[in-house]
Every structure is written in structure tokens, then in C-alpha cells.
Amino acid sequence: MTNETTTPPQDPAPRAGLRGWMKWAFIGSVTLNFLVLGTVAGGVIAHRLQPPPPPALERGADALTFGPLGGAFNREDRLAMRQAAEGRGANFPAMQAQMRSDFTRLEAALTAEPFDAAGVRAVLADMRARTLKRMDIGETLILERLEKMTPKQRQRFVERLRNGIERFAHRLEERRSERDKPPKD
């Protein structure tokens, strides 16, 4: 005879894992988490891949602008051009004050009874003269800055200018298509 003891059979261990509705709730929760994570990650990636808008001049209401070319200059270039303009006597707060004065004069001429066509003409002529003077100053500053650039810096400038023109053309096309849509009932 042997002294072997036999162990009684045991019930199989309970299955690990989720059952029934808990399994589906877990799958739904994980799916929802991945959707939220994907949306956030997609937004971050799209934001980083989107070309930046043309840089604004960071000096507030008296900002010096160079039209479409201004966005193609980097911040250092724009600051240097502003300093050069100020060094030549450009007074940006005074320019802003003059512009406000012009619009006040224009409003007065437009609302006068009888209509003051000569007054409107005079204000517009003054505005045109100041605008042309600012354009001449800007052209000189732009040319001077471009002459100081290395070929590599000019190439980057051209790339930024091209991107800015493409953005402008895209916005213009969007506005045209929006304007040309038939009116809604």
C-alpha cells in the first residue's frame, strides 16, 4: 500500500478579466479617451504646421508698417528699420495724431451743409501727400535693409514674402467666393 494522498479536485480559478457590460464599458471608455487624445494631438500638430500669420509690429498704435513687405522681414529687421526711421526724425505719435486730425477734418467736410467738396478735396490731398512721403521713407528703409542682408538672409526673406503673398491671395479668394455666393432666403 502506498501512502499517497490525493488532493481533491479544485474548482477552476475564476476567470480574470471583465465580463459582460463591464467589458463594453471599458472598451467604450478607452475608445473615447483615444478620440479625445487624437483630437487634441491633431489640433496641436495642425497648429504647429500652419504657417504663422504675418508678424505684427509689437509697438501698439504707432506701429511702423511696410505693407505686404513688412511681414516678410523678421522682428530684428523691423526693429532696425523703425530705429532708422526714428533716427531720421520720424515721429510716429505725431503721425497718428495727424491722421486722426485728417479724419476729423474729413468728417466735418462730409457732413457740412452745403456739402464741402473743396474741403474734402483738400483733406484727401493732404492725406495723399503724407502717404507718399511715408512710402518714400519706407522704400528707402526697405532698400537699405535688403542691401545689408546676406544672400541666405535674402533667400529667407523671399520665402517669407512668398508665403505672405500666398496667404493674402488665399484670403482674397475666400472673400471673393463668400461675396459671390447667392444670398440665402
Side-chain angles (χ1 to χ4, degrees), residues 149-160 162:
M149 289 181 177
T150 65
K152 187 175 182 177
Q153 289 171 323
R154 278 194 307 276
Q155 183 59 40
R156 286 194 303 257
F157 173 82
V158 169
E159 291 168 10
R160 290 188 302 264
R162 187 178 300 127

Side-chain angles (χ1 to χ4, degrees), residues 62-97:
D62 63 339
L64 173 67
T65 61
F66 296 100
L69 293 172
F73 285 103
N74 64 30
R75 185 172 192 274
E76 176 186 310
D77 291 328
R78 289 189 311 273
L79 289 173
M81 288 187 290
R82 180 180 177 86
Q83 290 170 349
E86 289 170 340
R88 294 178 186 167
N91 183 339
F92 298 109
M95 288 180 188
Q96 285 258 276

Side-chain angles (χ1 to χ4, degrees), residues 10-28:
Q10 295 180 353
D11 289 334
R15 278 182 43 199
L18 302 174
R19 297 183 193 194
W21 68 270
M22 293 270 300
K23 180 179 183 179
W24 291 109
F26 177 72
I27 290 171

